[in-house]
Amino acid sequence: MDLTDFAPGAQYIAGRLTRGSGEPFQVVNPADGSVVERIALAGPEDVDAAVAAAKAALPGWSSATPGARSEALTRLAAVLAGAADDLARVETSQTGKPVKLATEFDVPGTIDNAAFFAGAARNLEGKAAGEYSGDHTSYVRREAVGVVGSISPWNYPLQMAAWKILPAIAAGNTIVLKPAELTPLTSLMFARACTAAGIPDGVVNVVTGAGRTAGEHLVGHPDVAMVSFTGSTGVGKRVAEIATASVKRTHLELGGKAPFVVFDDADLDAAVHGVVAASLINGGQDCTAATRAYVQRPLYDAFVAGVAELYAAIRIGDPLNPRTDLGPMVSHAHRDRVAGFVERARSYATVVTGGLVPEKGHDGTDLTRGAYYPPTLITGAAQDSEVVQGEIFGPVLAVLAFDGDDEGLRLANDTPYGLAASAWTSNVHRSLRATREIAAGCVWVNDHIPIISEMPHGGYKASGYGKDMSQYSLDEYTQVKHVMFDTTAVARKDWHRTVFGDR
């Protein structure tokens, strides 16, 4: 199966690619504005067909043994590994991310996720069976929730498809995934890889459509039992409103504004290199990217100078060039949104470096047709300013100074978000305090960004609730059922007297 042949259409329903019933749409390469694929978007009827396929496949898949589901996911990991080069190339063409990021992070991370959930499928956990009341044996069953409707974002299309699909089907659910219409291609490749791995038709379906039509119809569909969404907090609120109307289970992984807290005993060189990598990964289009650096005053000037120096050396250019560090934003509209934050910040802060749209790449590439934006460093912004509080989602870092530890941790927590954070220190007591007091779903110490399949990813506060990856994600996709057996064979139970009769 050629996973890169999208000619039949951009809807994957019951094991087949089909054309959508909605408007025509172009998937555009943001590096040069060229058209990658011309597709037809999904309409409500396509969503209905996909949900019907998932519903029809549910009895067989949910009743398959954990071992059978595990074997299918093991085969899937192998299919994905065999298509690794194609996956990286297509991911770069639709997102603009550097091919070295797609090759070394997105694709291998996705393959590892598949391998992890192949094992996790055979390890659904529950309380040990026992006679907890004395007169009964109790045990716990974990059962599939049903048909899952998932919506994934445009920044990591392949990985987010995996994060949604793998735990859902490992637990015995079937799924309809709606990827962002800007970047649907590797999600479709992932679904086709599921079929190539022998996962039954209808277990994994993909509908490529707009949020207002396909997305909202999927979330509100009466046959969808659970909704999982990754995206902005604003859209997440809308998803929750629709899902709540029919009492659906929801899992929301929303926005972030990650603090990067540097104490005065930190390794300065490590912190400078760490923040450059953590603020620029995927062009800063990452909800866990470092966006607010709080640096204790003794290190502040040297930190700013070090970051500015490294930012100036970043190689911007053709994302297919393996030496390129920073590709374009996902679209011109998003590039202009990022630039808008910076332009408004000029009235109240200092743009130390960056802030001007580049025209030539490091390799001489003409960048004027692409959605490029340079690494941009801002200082002097107030804590309550837009550039510190708002989710920019681009290669923009604001650096602020703090004095005492109390102030640094208070500032770190002073946004509505709570997805990720990091603390940089050589003092174990400081690090323990930071990991305890920073309100975020992930807190790194002396690093920022690495993720692993075995550990959960999810937020606090306005960053949402529920977990992707790890064994913990299976809690989102299973229902826990208590089963209780009487062990006495006594007709007249002692507790009956509380309802009728005497002892």
Side-chain angles (χ1 to χ4, degrees), residues 348-371:
Y348 58 79
T350 300
V351 178
V352 176
T353 187
L356 297 174
V357 174
E359 296 183 354
K360 286 288 184 183
H362 69 96
D363 52 1
T365 304
D366 179 6
L367 304 183
T368 56
R369 291 187 300 163

Side-chain angles (χ1 to χ4, degrees), residues 7 19 27 69 93 99 146 155 162 165 189 193 197 204 239 246 259 357 440:
R19 287 185 58 81
V27 178
R69 294 198 292 267
S93 72
V99 71
N155 56 337
I165 292 170
M189 292 173 70
V204 177
V239 168
S246 52
V357 174

Side-chain angles (χ1 to χ4, degrees), residues 233-325:
T233 297
V235 177
K237 291 178 181 178
R238 175 62 179 159
V239 168
E241 289 173 1
I242 298 171
T244 299
S246 52
V247 201
K248 288 179 171 54
R249 180 182 293 198
T250 55
H251 163 216
L252 303 176
E253 197 265 271
L254 307 178
K257 190 69 178 176
F260 188 103
V261 184
V262 182
F263 294 97
D264 58 11
D265 62 347
D267 181 327
L268 178 63
D269 190 50
V272 168
H273 282 80
V275 81
V276 170
S279 61
L280 300 184
I281 186 171
N282 204 39
Q285 299 166 126
D286 185 311
C287 49
T288 63
T291 59
R292 302 177 287 140
Y294 297 101
V295 184
Q296 204 151 17
R297 205 166 298 276
L299 297 184
Y300 177 82
D301 290 340
F303 181 89
V304 170
V307 173
E309 181 181 358
L310 286 182
Y311 267 15
I314 292 297
R315 297 168 298 188
I316 307 172
D318 178 4
L320 286 175
N321 184 331
R323 297 186 70 247
T324 292
D325 299 321

Side-chain angles (χ1 to χ4, degrees), residues 216-237:
E216 293 198 1
H217 191 66
L218 177 63
V219 172
H221 199 289
D223 289 332
V224 170
M226 174 190 166
V227 173
S228 179
F229 170 81
T230 295
S232 72
T233 297
V235 177
K237 291 178 181 178

Side-chain angles (χ1 to χ4, degrees), residues 15 37 50 76 93 100 115 141 171 176 231 238 248 256 261 292 297 306 322 335 338 398 404 410 416 429 453 492:
E37 287 290 338
L76 173 61
S93 72
K100 66 177 180 179
R141 290 178 56 89
V176 178
R238 175 62 179 159
K248 288 179 171 54
V261 184
R292 302 177 287 140
R297 205 166 298 276
R335 190 270 308 277
V338 171
R410 176 181 60 79
H429 302 292
S453 296
R492 182 73 185 271

Side-chain angles (χ1 to χ4, degrees), residues 422-433:
S422 64
W424 296 73
T425 176
S426 59
N427 185 302
V428 65
H429 302 292
R430 267 179 164 167
S431 65
L432 287 171
R433 181 185 178 191

Side-chain angles (χ1 to χ4, degrees), residues 294-452:
Y294 297 101
V295 184
Q296 204 151 17
R297 205 166 298 276
L299 297 184
Y300 177 82
D301 290 340
F303 181 89
V304 170
V307 173
E309 181 181 358
L310 286 182
Y311 267 15
I314 292 297
R315 297 168 298 188
I316 307 172
D318 178 4
L320 286 175
N321 184 331
R323 297 186 70 247
T324 292
D325 299 321
L326 184 67
M329 302 290 93
V330 74
S331 68
H332 284 82
H334 184 64
R335 190 270 308 277
D336 294 345
R337 176 184 176 277
V338 171
F341 276 92
V342 176
E343 292 309 306
R344 292 188 294 274
R346 293 184 192 276
S347 66
Y348 58 79
T350 300
V351 178
V352 176
T353 187
L356 297 174
V357 174
E359 296 183 354
K360 286 288 184 183
H362 69 96
D363 52 1
T365 304
D366 179 6
L367 304 183
T368 56
R369 291 187 300 163
Y372 290 89
Y373 199 74
T376 300
L377 177 63
I378 295 176
T379 61
Q383 175 66 14
D384 61 356
S385 64
E386 178 190 48
V387 78
V388 174
Q389 293 291 325
E391 188 177 23
I392 301 173
F393 226 60
V396 180
L397 174 69
V399 183
L400 294 82
F402 71 92
D403 291 305
D405 291 15
D406 290 350
E407 181 189 14
L409 295 174
R410 176 181 60 79
L411 292 172
N413 282 328
D414 185 28
T415 70
Y417 301 106
L419 186 59
S422 64
W424 296 73
T425 176
S426 59
N427 185 302
V428 65
H429 302 292
R430 267 179 164 167
S431 65
L432 287 171
R433 181 185 178 191
T435 58
R436 183 174 64 249
E437 294 187 13
I438 294 176
C442 177
V443 181
W444 292 280
V445 176
N446 296 331
D447 208 344
H448 191 118
I449 282 298
I451 54 175
I452 51 176

